[in-house]
Amino acid sequence: MNAGTPTARPAPSEPRDEPLEKVVAHSVGDGVSWITLDRPHRLNALTPAQRERLIALLGDASRDPGVRAVVLTGRGRGFCAGADLQGAGQGAGERVAGDVARTVEQGAQRLIAAVLDCEKPVLAAVNGTAAGLGCHLALACDLVLAAETAAFVEVFVRRGLVPDAGGAYLLPRLIGPQKAKELMFFGDSVPAAEAARMGLVNKVVPNEELPAAARSWAERLAAGPTRALALTKRLLNDSLEASRAASFAAEAQAQEVNMTTRDAQEGVAAFVQRRTPGFEGR
């Protein structure tokens, strides 16, 4: 949803003042940072505080040498139903020109940038509906696994809104401008299997197999040459706006930087010695 518009009115019986550490749960194990959106009664819609915790956790993952991959998932029927401001802004006084732009720039766009700029590979394990901001949160990830019953919805047009959270940047780069316009103009729900055919999703798995599939891919990523993956991620992301000359120059510089890492030296040595490399993420 638009950063300035709640996705739904809170139900009278829903829990309030939920600890951030519960509703955006976090754990680290075997080199993987696991982030789980855990507000199933709200389909994991994000409040500003929850959004800020997500941004902080992604920044922490970049800085922590013990983290070598990130998994972002949800609990319940929803992956993330968008932004949930729970009435924020009501009665806050007259809106001033520029307020909406600042809200989007400092909110949803910062979250998407945090995913794109994270120095560790980020895997989305989409367990259910990903709508609005939640859809773009999934699509900003480097790899996307989806449960069979997951769905992706560009819900903005249904509310008379312009897409936010970087959607107009992300979508045409994944599936081309015409298909992106179709999804954004009509706001239809796209089932996981169709999303995979479009190129929005890397792989669809049965619902019950999603956690194991996410763990398998995350552990493979965590066992990889972490700095090389970070540099590769940056090269691929930047190439979408760069000229050939700029891309070639960036590639050469990335090679220069990467060859100073222990993992690159280990990889070359393992190749010469005809053995499996043991990467440390350094």
Side-chain angles (χ1 to χ4, degrees), residues 226-236 254-255 257-258 261:
T226 308
R227 296 313 305 162
L229 291 176
L231 290 165
T232 301
K233 173 176 178 172
R234 178 174 292 182
L235 283 174
L236 289 169
Q255 292 283 354
V257 171
N258 189 63
T261 66

Side-chain angles (χ1 to χ4, degrees), residues 61-81:
S62 285
R63 291 184 290 270
D64 187 350
V67 171
R68 298 171 66 185
V70 178
V71 176
L72 179 58
T73 191
R75 189 171 73 84
R77 295 185 298 111
F79 170 75
C80 176

Side-chain angles (χ1 to χ4, degrees), residues 26-173:
H26 179 241
S27 64
V28 177
D30 298 323
V32 181
S33 173
W34 293 86
I35 304 173
T36 304
L37 306 181
D38 192 0
R39 294 178 78 220
H41 57 285
R42 300 290 297 166
L43 296 180
N44 297 320
L46 290 174
T47 66
Q50 292 153 17
R51 179 196 67 224
E52 291 303 309
R53 176 164 164 80
L54 263 179
I55 293 171
L57 289 172
L58 289 162
D60 291 345
S62 285
R63 291 184 290 270
D64 187 350
V67 171
R68 298 171 66 185
V70 178
V71 176
L72 179 58
T73 191
R75 189 171 73 84
R77 295 185 298 111
F79 170 75
C80 176
D84 184 355
L85 304 189
Q86 297 185 342
Q90 295 180 9
E94 183 181 356
R95 176 176 292 165
V96 177
D99 281 351
V100 174
R102 279 187 292 273
T103 298
V104 172
E105 291 165 355
Q106 297 170 16
Q109 289 180 354
R110 282 181 56 247
L111 174 57
I112 300 306
V115 178
L116 294 171
D117 295 339
C118 183
E119 295 179 27
K120 309 300 166 63
V122 183
L123 168 65
V126 183
N127 54 294
T129 299
L133 165 63
C135 179
H136 300 161
L137 179 61
L139 299 183
C141 293
D142 302 302
L143 298 169
V144 182
L145 290 172
E148 285 179 329
T149 56
F152 299 80
V153 192
E154 289 291 337
V155 74
F156 304 93
V157 70
R158 300 184 187 181
R159 313 289 185 256
L161 302 173
V162 172
D164 68 9
Y169 172 88
L170 294 168
L171 214 59
R173 284 165 169 77

Side-chain angles (χ1 to χ4, degrees), residues 200-211:
L200 295 174
V201 169
N202 292 91
K203 186 177 181 180
V204 178
V205 299
N207 289 21
E208 65 277 8
E209 295 179 17
L210 182 64

